[in-house]
Amino acid sequence: FHIGEREEKCIIEDIPSDTLVVGNYKVQRWDIHKHDFLESAPGLGMFVTVTSPTGEVLLSKLYGPQGTFSFTSYLSGEQIICFQSNSTRFAVTAGSKLRIHLDIRVGEHFLDESAIQAKDKVDEVNVRLEHLIEQIHHVTREQDYEREREEKFRKTSEETNSSILWWAIVQTLILISIGIWQIKSLRDFFISKKLV
């Protein structure tokens, strides 16, 4: 995505609780003379801020033009990940565009292949098995979180349907009451004018 040099851009990720999130990014600055983005932006860094659904700051750190950040979500819900450059130029002169390449991996644990090759085959199978077990736990947590969200949505839908039913009943009673009142008023009017 593209941002301005002094602009802050935020991304919302819906993440279950107790989940590791790893993000890799690289920043490129627009070069006016070459009309292209430079591969690296020397001297330019990025402030990365992560906020939990309750507003608690989980991560707030300055990184270089490319880097890796990670955090663990303690609560399920929408985590807000914000990026802003550390540019010190004035807003009037800081008109440069930045391109950010971002890769976010949720709940992934990376295997160190060199460590696996250094161990014998039994340890390799053991490490891979532990990795698979961790992935199964992550999938289970993700399913529990989705089940919880579905239950909340279903409850909200049922409450809304119940409210609509009661509103329809109230409207019907009001219309019947108004109809009876109009008939009585017209009958009294006709009797008083001796038309009936």
Side-chain angles (χ1 to χ4, degrees):
F1 57 90
H2 293 106
I3 63 172
E5 196 170 340
R6 303 277 299 183
E7 182 183 357
E8 180 179 44
K9 185 78 104 178
C10 294
I11 296 169
I12 298 174
E13 283 287 328
D14 202 0
I15 302 170
S17 62
D18 297 324
T19 303
L20 176 68
V21 178
V22 178
N24 295 314
Y25 73 90
K26 181 174 83 170
V27 180
Q28 296 175 314
R29 181 182 281 163
W30 177 255
D31 187 359
I32 298 173
H33 304 295
K34 294 181 181 176
H35 296 288
D36 196 11
F37 286 96
L38 296 176
E39 264 316 300
S40 64
L44 186 67
M46 293 300 287
F47 284 108
V48 179
T49 306
V50 179
T51 309
S52 72
T54 59
E56 178 186 354
V57 176
L58 299 177
L59 173 72
S60 180
K61 191 172 178 184
L62 174 64
Y63 293 93
Q66 59 184 342
T68 301
F69 61 92
S70 63
F71 65 94
T72 302
S73 63
Y74 296 105
L75 293 172
S76 58
E78 294 179 342
Q79 316 283 332
I80 301 172
I81 304 169
C82 296
F83 296 90
Q84 185 177 19
S85 72
N86 67 342
S87 176
T88 57
R89 296 166 64 185
F90 291 112
V92 177
T93 60
S96 187
K97 288 190 293 184
L98 302 175
R99 177 190 289 170
I100 299 177
H101 301 273
L102 179 63
D103 179 29
I104 295 179
R105 293 196 171 109
V106 177
E108 222 173 280
H109 297 282
F110 302 102
L111 291 175
D112 186 4
E113 293 297 329
S114 62
I116 290 174
Q117 290 173 357
K119 298 185 182 214
D120 61 327
K121 293 292 182 185
V122 175
D123 286 344
E124 180 180 342
V125 171
N126 190 20
V127 169
R128 290 197 184 272
L129 186 61
E130 287 176 5
H131 180 69
L132 286 174
I133 290 171
E134 180 63 33
Q135 285 183 333
I136 289 170
H137 288 308
H138 171 67
V139 168
T140 305
R141 283 194 306 266
E142 185 79 30
Q143 286 176 338
D144 290 342
Y145 176 61
E146 292 301 325
R147 206 173 289 119
E148 177 185 314
R149 286 184 61 198
E150 180 186 357
E151 185 178 322
K152 242 188 246 184
F153 179 74
R154 187 176 58 243
K155 190 180 211 181
T156 303
S157 297
E158 288 172 359
E159 288 173 359
T160 303
N161 287 338
S162 174
S163 298
I164 290 172
L165 175 66
W166 283 111
W167 178 245
I169 291 171
V170 168
Q171 281 182 326
T172 304
L173 291 175
I174 290 173
L175 287 174
I176 290 172
S177 308
I178 290 174
I180 292 172
W181 176 76
Q182 284 180 340
I183 290 171
K184 185 179 179 314
S185 297
L186 284 173
R187 196 180 84 196
D188 291 345
F189 175 74
F190 288 140
I191 289 174
S192 68
K193 296 293 184 182
K194 298 182 181 172
L195 297 172
V196 176

